[in-house]
Amino acid sequence: MYAYREYLELENGARACTAFENVAGQAGEMAGSHWHDAYELLLVQQGRCVQRVGTASACLSPGALTVIRPGAVHSTRALGPCAIAVLQFTPEFSGVSLPSLMLDKPPMEPERLRCRFENLGAAAQAQDEAGRLILSGGVRELCGQILRMAPEGVGIPAPGRLFEQVARYLSAGGDMSLTGAAAHLGYAPEHLSRRFHQEAGMTFREYVDQLRLRRALKLMRSGRLNLTQLAAHLGYADANSFSRAFKRASGMSPGAYMRRRSRAEEPNPKEG
């Protein structure tokens, strides 16, 4: 699974909530280091995995629940055959603020938690009025249960100071080059690069690629810019450099993404 599968599904369908299953047939990376603008809930259904969020990591077994806040860098590595239920929703959709958590043994019975994820997943796939109502109420109820389940002192530590500095600077439109960001923030480039990797679990370049991808997706939705114009607007040397970075971050070329988006926007002949 590409790390951005979930983000692209959210953006591509213009939905505030989506659900799917991440499955690995053998040990290995299930989702490399990435981050997104939505909350993400992960429920381990089968097998065991190592979940990393920021600098914290834990080995999780079936029934384990992970809550990941928007902007938190995270990754998942399977220790063998593994299946994880994934639920993503924007902060506005839930209307609550959740902490980042990794609960290997949540207080809620595993079967009840699994059923909640299955029901929400089915509602997310329905894409009708009944499904939207079930999804909206169900996500809010689950968030309330998570707040009750979360004991004090088990939250994942906040990101390091340097990571937060860099993230705020880049999100505000700062220079996306390592040397430019380091100069503005008062660090030597080598020091910023090393510390950023330690605190985020991903390189500065990977983080910038993913930030640029978000901006590219917003611009591509408008349909007013071609690849060359997109590349120039996002600070790439040329269209080929942009295409390589887009595929590196999303797992697909810009052209493939636009074709996929066009298919998703085609009217459904069964509707109306």
Side-chain angles (χ1 to χ4, degrees), residues 252-269:
M252 65 177 71
S253 68
Y257 168 74
M258 291 305 295
R259 288 191 295 272
R260 170 179 163 174
R261 183 173 178 81
S262 296
R263 288 195 299 270
E265 292 178 344
E266 289 176 356
N268 188 336

Side-chain angles (χ1 to χ4, degrees), residues 82-253:
C82 187
I84 299 175
V86 181
L87 179 68
Q88 272 201 334
F89 50 88
T90 63
E92 296 78 15
F93 187 80
S94 64
V96 299
S97 178
L98 297 175
S100 285
L101 298 166
M102 282 188 284
L103 301 173
D104 193 31
K105 296 181 179 178
M108 183 181 290
E109 295 89 337
E111 187 61 21
R112 283 185 61 198
L113 197 53
R114 184 185 64 79
C115 286
R116 286 176 184 270
F117 268 75
E118 286 184 355
N119 291 339
L120 292 172
Q125 295 300 318
Q127 298 189 41
D128 56 16
E129 186 61 24
R132 285 191 288 271
L133 289 172
I134 293 170
L135 195 59
S136 177
V139 167
R140 285 171 170 79
E141 182 186 10
L142 180 57
C143 289
Q145 292 290 344
I146 288 172
L147 289 174
R148 284 186 172 179
M149 287 191 295
E152 293 185 9
V154 300
I156 294 170
R161 177 171 172 271
L162 183 143
F163 171 78
E164 288 192 327
Q165 283 183 306
V166 173
R168 283 197 301 269
Y169 172 67
L170 295 179
S171 65
D175 189 335
M176 289 191 177
S177 69
L178 176 62
T179 54
H184 179 85
L185 296 172
Y187 295 101
E190 296 79 8
H191 177 76
L192 186 146
S193 178
R194 182 177 64 255
R195 281 274 307 280
F196 187 90
H197 195 188
Q198 290 172 348
E199 294 184 13
M202 68 192 313
T203 67
F204 180 87
R205 178 187 178 185
E206 289 170 337
Y207 188 87
V208 166
D209 274 351
Q210 295 188 14
L211 182 59
R212 280 174 164 164
L213 173 63
R214 279 167 172 70
R215 296 179 180 177
L217 292 174
K218 292 179 180 178
L219 291 170
M220 291 165 78
R221 279 204 301 270
S222 72
R224 293 193 295 267
L225 301 179
N226 60 35
L227 283 184
T228 301
Q229 292 168 326
L230 276 170
H233 190 87
L234 295 167
Y236 289 99
D238 50 43
N240 288 335
S241 297
F242 166 65
S243 295
R244 287 193 297 269
F246 188 95
K247 188 169 185 177
R248 188 166 59 238
S250 70
M252 65 177 71
S253 68

Side-chain angles (χ1 to χ4, degrees), residues 17-41:
C17 183
T18 190
F20 57 91
E21 188 177 55
N22 188 5
V23 179
Q26 59 186 8
E29 187 175 81
M30 297 181 77
S33 293
H34 67 290
W35 56 279
H36 35 69
D37 302 322
Y39 278 103
E40 184 170 71
L41 308 185

